[in-house]
Amino acid sequence: QVQLVESGGGVVQPGGALRLSCAASGFAFSDSGMHWVRQPPGRGLEWVAFIRFDGSDKHYADPVKGRFIISRDNSKNTLYLQMNNLRAEDTALYYCAKELYDSGSYDYWGRGDLVTVSS
Amino acid sequence: QSVLTQPPSVSAAPGQKVTISCSGSTSNIGNHYVSWYQQVPGTVPKLLIYENNKRPSGIPDRFSGSKSGTSATLDITGLQTGDEADYYCGTWDRSLTAGVFGGGTKLTVL
């Protein structure tokens, strides 16, 4: 069955960096667009970034543009999110999510990985 | 402040029907498919509706979606206590070139 497993989260100081990984299995990862979505504690869902199935197209939410980089390695079935110059407002549970073909919807989600930015 | 507007909360009695609205604009809902997600507190969001009105396998037909112009709605009939959750609408915004979500609606089954 489809599995998405995030890792790499933790506590980091403001201005620091982290790289999240999302290991995918159970589906054709190299054929699927992938997204990162985050959820600050006690708050709603926030879309973060998208990468096309072949990595040729990427988009970012305005609050992370210029600081976060989404990438993928289809040979390893893994999605990444490099997060630089982290801010307190980046504190959230980060989910990777698989896009249902080109529908703009997310049919599978990982369990999430917590990123805490604090001094 | 979310790009898509949802009511913060709705409530209804077991067995009744509830409607959750999601309002946007021509740059998002007006020109893109809408999806809906259910998130029981402490769990991962689950896809309920995609492409405005389609249900993934395993989602009961008590859940239905529709779209008209720049607004979308999620209807839940035959409410059950297990339906208590937060519900989010989502779509793509062509002006932002970004995914967008509503702020979420907390459903209470009285």
Side-chain angles (χ1 to χ4, degrees):
Chain A
Q1 77 273 23
V2 172
Q3 281 199 324
L4 297 168
V5 180
E6 301 93 341
S7 61
V11 180
V12 61
Q13 292 188 338
L18 279 177
R19 188 178 83 156
L20 299 182
S21 299
C22 172
S25 61
F27 68 101
F29 179 75
S30 59
D31 291 342
S32 300
M34 297 294 297
H35 299 254
W36 287 99
V37 176
R38 67 185 182 184
Q39 186 167 33
R43 297 177 57 185
L45 302 175
E46 296 179 4
W47 179 85
V48 175
F50 161 77
I51 185 168
R52 198 165 177 255
F53 68 95
D54 58 359
S56 63
D57 195 25
K58 304 174 185 180
H59 295 282
Y60 300 91
D62 281 345
V64 308
K65 223 171 263 186
R67 300 187 297 123
F68 288 13
I69 300 172
I70 189 172
S71 63
R72 64 192 299 159
D73 186 337
N74 286 346
S75 69
K76 295 182 178 179
N77 284 355
T78 303
L79 175 72
Y80 302 100
L81 185 68
Q82 177 66 43
M83 303 183 293
N84 301 321
N85 191 19
L86 283 160
R87 305 167 179 167
E89 54 265 35
D90 296 318
T91 294
L93 187 62
Y94 283 74
Y95 296 103
C96 67
K98 169 187 169 293
E99 181 165 343
L100 175 61
Y101 47 90
D102 290 329
S103 67
S105 61
Y106 320 117
D107 57 346
Y108 289 96
W109 300 61
R111 292 192 172 187
D113 200 4
L114 184 61
V115 172
T116 303
V117 184
S118 173
S119 54
Chain B
Q1 194 160 349
S2 303
V3 172
L4 306 180
T5 301
Q6 297 180 235
S9 63
V10 295
S11 62
Q16 296 301 302
K17 172 186 172 181
V18 70
T19 296
I20 298 173
S21 61
C22 176
S23 177
S25 68
T26 54
S27 68
N28 43 67
I29 292 178
N31 281 283
H32 293 279
Y33 288 127
V34 176
S35 52
W36 289 91
Y37 305 87
Q38 177 194 59
Q39 187 178 33
V40 176
T43 70
V44 175
K46 178 168 73 173
L47 179 64
L48 286 180
I49 298 290
Y50 67 99
E51 291 184 353
N52 303 333
N53 55 20
K54 298 179 181 177
R55 283 185 309 275
S57 65
I59 301 300
D61 59 7
R62 300 187 299 107
F63 296 90
S64 63
S66 63
K67 186 182 100 167
S68 178
T70 59
S71 293
T73 59
L74 173 70
D75 290 325
I76 311 173
T77 59
L79 277 172
Q80 302 173 0
T81 55
D83 296 333
E84 285 202 334
D86 295 316
Y87 292 83
Y88 298 90
C89 57
T91 187
W92 186 259
D93 190 297
R94 61 176 50 183
S95 295
L96 298 173
T97 57
V100 289
F101 286 103
T105 298
K106 182 177 180 61
L107 169 63
T108 301
V109 181
L110 302 168

